[in-house]
C-alpha cells in the first residue's frame, strides 16, 4: 500500500512530529509510513485522514499488483 502522507503533510505545513502528536504515534511511525515501510492500522489511517480532512482513499491507495 502506498500513500501521499508527505505531500498532504507539507500542504498543511506540518512536521512529522506535529502529525505524530495529532494521531498519537511516534515521529518514527510517520517516517516509516512515508517511506512505505509501515502499513498503518485502520484506526490510524482514519485518524490521519481526519487530520487532512480527506477521505482515507485519497491518502492511502493500493498499487495495481496488490
Amino acid at each position: 500500500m502506498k500513500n501521499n502522507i508527505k505531500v498532504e503533510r507539507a500542504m498543511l505545513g506540518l512536521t512529522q512530529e506535529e502529525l505524530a502528536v495529532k494521531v498519537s504515534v511516534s515521529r518514527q511511525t510517520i517516517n516509516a509510513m512515508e517511506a512505505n515501510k509501515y502499513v498503518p492500522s485502520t484506526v490510524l489511517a482514519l485518524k490521519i485522514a481526519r487530520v487532512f480532512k480527506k477521505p482515507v482513499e485519497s491518502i492511502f491507495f493500493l498499487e495495481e499488483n496488490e
Side-chain angles (χ1 to χ4, degrees):
M1 182 165 69
K2 298 284 185 177
N3 67 73
N4 59 3
I5 294 172
K6 189 173 186 176
V7 172
E8 296 291 339
R9 187 172 57 73
M11 290 187 338
L12 290 180
L14 292 173
T15 65
Q16 287 182 341
E17 182 67 30
E18 290 167 335
L19 178 57
V21 168
K22 286 181 181 290
V23 296
S24 303
V25 297
S26 69
R27 184 201 59 77
Q28 290 86 350
T29 298
I30 301 298
N31 188 340
M33 283 190 288
E34 288 183 359
N36 294 306
K37 294 182 179 185
Y38 176 76
V39 176
S41 67
T42 305
V43 172
L44 180 53
L46 290 168
K47 286 180 179 181
I48 291 169
R50 184 183 296 161
V51 169
F52 296 146
K53 296 183 173 113
K54 295 198 172 177
V56 73
E57 297 90 353
S58 71
I59 300 163
F60 298 94
F61 44 91
L62 294 174
E63 292 188 291
E64 295 207 15
N65 61 348
E66 292 181 304

